[in-house]
Amino acid sequence: MVNIPLLSLLIVTAYGRIFSGHFSLNENWKFLARFCFEEGLHSPFRKSNQRLNYTITIYNDDCNCEPKLLFYYDTPEQWYSVYKHDISCEDKVDQAVHEIRIRNNYDSLCWERVDAANRTYTRCTGIRLFSQTRDRWWYIAVSDCGGTKSVRFNYSLTFTNGGNFLSHHFSADEMGITECTLVSLVLTFCIVCITIIYSKLLALRRLNHETFKTFQISSVLYFISLIFLSVYYCYYGTTGMPPRGYLVASRIFEALATSTFLGILLAFSTGYTIVRSTMSLTAFCVLLTFTGVFTLLQICAIVWEESVFDPGSVLYMYQSPPGYISAVVYIPAWNYFVINSIITSFNFRRKAWFYLALTGFYSVWVLSLPVMIVIANTSLPDYSRQKTVIISQQVIWLISYVYMLIIFLPSQHNLMFPFHLRTTKVDFGETPPAAQDNNYAITDDKGNPIGDTYDFGSSCDESPDRSGEMAESRINYKLFTVPGKTATD
């Protein structure tokens, strides 16, 4: 059993994960907070960083109540057998692994005061140290089983975990997220700068297509998301009070970045800007509707989480119905992406290897979140699920952006460069695009293109094998004769 030494100490100033609020206890039992403490053993020779500082103010001093702080493990026979189960208050108290009699001076330091409204109240403070052999969730509740009156409480619970800025204030399931977020922020900023350089180089060749511009927008949106997330964790780590508004803003911008990036992949799967210069109205409407619904569902899941999130039964976003919805919507997106990529690769055989690489790599990106959620919720311990999912998603985001940068690399040595048609319309009087240096494909010693270079003519919607015939058929050849002279002249 985990050892929780009973200490009667003066109140001290400590920064950590802070839960505070006020309520009227009229149900005899109420859940207050949860926190995941790191593995750590307390001894006379080793200071424990896993601790709880509490301050509780009790009004209605004439109620003769005996409130208790109750501590539960994260096991089925402990917390999950108590929370939202129709059992008596006494049974809930009996299930607790430890309890503190708030107004007992052996457990807490208490004193009576009178406020400005001439109301008598009792304020109790104390510290508890946690010693355990593994990371563990702890659930804190308050009870007053024998009370006959509603008791008003003000409470402040300050949890501390580690010894430095990156761990002292965070729950064990959040360890490592701050460092990974800050690194991702710097790397994403570098990616945004590289896309600006790419756009200038592509614009010089008139190859700065809408799909690349959309990729730029996606990277900027994701960068803004990481800015909000970095502010959230830095403020959280400094004060112990997580600003939920920054987290919500971060998730909204991440949802927009995801929808935008997914739109690029779906547009690529139809061949737009790669083997087709235009997109049909039907394909455009389907793409717009799909990304719009995807974005709406993502934002609805975020709002739902903020509105009905129950910390007593849900440990992180993807363990709740909103999280499941935001993950499941990736499945139809992946189906649309793969089916259209296969169709396009069959119609344009010269791009088969490009679409094989594109589909294989970005199928991992599209399916990573739902697969990771299934693995985390079924195979990983509950104290490591949140950080595993968040960190793995940030790493996969960075790899996906870097791979897209490799695809768009404006170099003649880049055989995967997708664009072979200028952004401006090809006039009939110009040399056909395949005959001039309007792409970044490698050429041989005679100037002939090597690799996937198409002769598109004025349109890329036709089969590549007939595009040269189309361009030739549109040239108006005329015979000129000079009167009075023979052909031999």
Side-chain angles (χ1 to χ4, degrees):
M1 178 178 291
V2 174
N3 180 28
I4 309 178
L6 299 180
L7 302 176
S8 297
L9 300 175
L10 293 173
I11 184 172
V12 296
T13 301
Y15 293 97
R17 178 65 169 95
I18 300 173
F19 298 87
S20 61
H22 57 85
F23 61 92
S24 295
L25 184 62
N26 51 19
E27 299 177 355
N28 300 119
W29 189 93
K30 183 177 178 61
F31 166 66
L32 293 182
R34 60 171 168 79
F35 192 78
C36 188
F37 284 104
E38 277 191 307
E39 170 189 352
L41 298 176
H42 177 68
S43 70
F45 308 101
R46 182 180 182 273
K47 180 181 178 181
S48 176
N49 292 312
Q50 292 75 37
R51 63 177 62 194
L52 164 65
N53 294 65
Y54 64 88
T55 300
I56 297 179
T57 303
I58 306 172
Y59 295 90
N60 296 21
D61 199 49
D62 60 343
C63 67
N64 296 322
C65 58
E66 290 295 334
K68 299 176 182 179
L69 275 182
L70 305 176
F71 296 80
Y72 298 90
Y73 284 155
D74 56 350
T75 55
E77 64 275 7
Q78 278 280 308
W79 177 249
Y80 298 109
S81 67
V82 170
Y83 190 62
K84 290 188 175 181
H85 282 71
D86 189 16
I87 60 177
S88 66
C89 178
E90 289 77 10
D91 290 338
K92 292 181 179 180
V93 173
D94 291 339
Q95 291 290 339
V97 69
H98 183 69
E99 65 181 50
I100 297 176
R101 290 179 173 86
I102 298 174
R103 301 178 72 176
N104 187 329
N105 279 327
Y106 178 72
D107 290 341
S108 308
L109 179 62
C110 300
W111 62 92
E112 291 187 357
R113 291 289 187 271
V114 178
D115 61 12
N118 201 28
R119 295 177 303 177
T120 302
Y121 63 89
T122 302
R123 177 165 293 171
C124 300
T125 64
I127 297 177
R128 289 297 175 267
L129 303 181
F130 292 78
S131 179
Q132 53 197 27
T133 57
R134 70 165 178 86
D135 295 352
R136 183 185 293 277
W137 280 101
W138 284 87
Y139 296 84
I140 316 299
V142 63
S143 70
D144 180 29
C145 295
T148 58
K149 293 184 178 181
S150 176
V151 184
R152 292 188 297 115
F153 285 88
N154 286 345
Y155 70 94
S156 176
L157 307 177
T158 302
F159 298 90
T160 57
N161 219 345
N164 55 58
F165 165 78
L166 297 174
S167 61
H168 184 68
H169 313 81
F170 295 103
S171 182
D173 70 318
E174 299 168 319
M175 298 291 186
I177 298 178
T178 304
E179 302 95 303
C180 185
T181 300
L182 294 175
V183 172
S184 298
L185 178 67
V186 174
L187 295 179
T188 305
F189 175 74
C190 296
I191 290 173
V192 172
C193 293
I194 293 174
T195 61
I196 295 174
I197 297 173
Y198 277 20
S199 65
K200 293 183 179 297
L201 295 175
L202 292 173
L204 292 176
R205 294 289 188 97
R206 291 184 291 174
L207 294 171
N208 192 15
H209 287 280
E210 297 299 327
T211 45
F212 181 79
K213 295 176 183 178
T214 307
F215 169 63
Q216 279 188 291
I217 294 173
S218 176
S219 62
V220 171
L221 290 172
Y222 186 63
F223 177 65
I224 296 174
S225 167
L226 290 176
I227 291 177
F228 281 111
L229 194 61
S230 299
V231 173
Y232 168 79
Y233 280 111
C234 289
Y235 187 88
Y236 180 6
T238 303
T239 65
M241 300 291 290
R244 295 292 300 180
Y246 287 96
L247 181 61
V248 172
S250 172
R251 288 177 175 172
I252 291 175
F253 276 99
E254 183 180 1
L256 295 175
T258 303
S259 301
T260 308
F261 195 81
L262 188 61
I264 302 171
L265 297 181
L266 298 183
F268 275 173
S269 68
T270 63
Y272 179 58
T273 69
I274 297 180
V275 294
R276 291 186 173 93
S277 60
T278 59
M279 184 183 297
S280 66
L281 181 61
T282 301
F284 177 76
C285 291
V286 170
L287 180 61
L288 187 62
T289 303
F290 199 94
T291 54
V293 171
F294 182 88
T295 305
L296 183 61
L297 288 176
Q298 293 282 325
I299 295 178
C300 287
I302 295 171
V303 175
W304 186 3
E305 178 198 5
E306 292 299 313
S307 302
V308 301
F309 188 79
D310 181 9
S313 57
V314 178
L315 297 179
Y316 76 115
M317 176 182 178
Y318 297 112
Q319 200 179 355
S320 63
Y324 295 142
I325 291 175
S326 62
V328 167
V329 294
Y330 282 86
I331 305 301
W334 176 72
N335 289 330
Y336 185 89
F337 172 62
V338 171
I339 292 174
N340 279 279
S341 296
I342 293 174
I343 294 174
T344 304
S345 63
F346 269 102
N347 291 335
F348 299 88
R349 298 298 180 88
R350 293 185 179 182
K351 281 295 183 181
W353 285 108
F354 171 83
Y355 275 100
L356 178 63
L358 184 77
T359 306
F361 187 88
Y362 283 107
S363 290
V364 176
W365 177 80
V366 175
L367 296 177
S368 61
L369 182 61
V371 171
M372 196 66 233
I373 290 173
V374 172
I375 294 175
N377 291 349
T378 58
S379 302
L380 298 181
D382 53 9
Y383 54 81
S384 65
R385 292 173 183 174
Q386 177 175 213
K387 60 185 177 184
T388 301
V389 172
I390 292 178
I391 292 175
S392 62
Q393 281 301 111
Q394 290 184 359
V395 172
I396 291 174
W397 261 111
L398 291 174
I399 295 175
S400 299
Y401 277 138
V402 170
Y403 189 77
M404 191 65 75
L405 286 177
I406 294 174
I407 292 177
F408 286 124
L409 177 64
S411 170
Q412 63 177 356
H413 301 289
N414 182 14
L415 291 176
M416 291 189 65
F417 186 77
F419 301 144
H420 299 278
L421 184 70
R422 295 183 188 270
T423 56
T424 56
K425 183 179 179 180
V426 179
D427 294 328
F428 296 148
E430 289 187 4
T431 307
Q436 61 183 9
D437 187 20
N438 72 326
N439 54 55
Y440 286 97
I442 301 177
T443 58
D444 58 19
D445 296 336
K446 297 181 180 180
N448 298 319
I450 298 176
D452 294 337
T453 304
Y454 297 158
D455 183 8
F456 285 106
S458 60
S459 174
C460 296
D461 294 324
E462 302 294 334
S463 172
D465 296 330
R466 298 187 57 192
S467 58
E469 298 175 6
M470 291 176 59
E472 184 177 356
S473 64
R474 290 187 174 95
I475 300 177
N476 187 12
Y477 294 98
K478 295 183 179 180
L479 295 178
F480 294 89
T481 58
V482 178
K485 296 200 176 185
T486 64
T488 55
D489 293 335

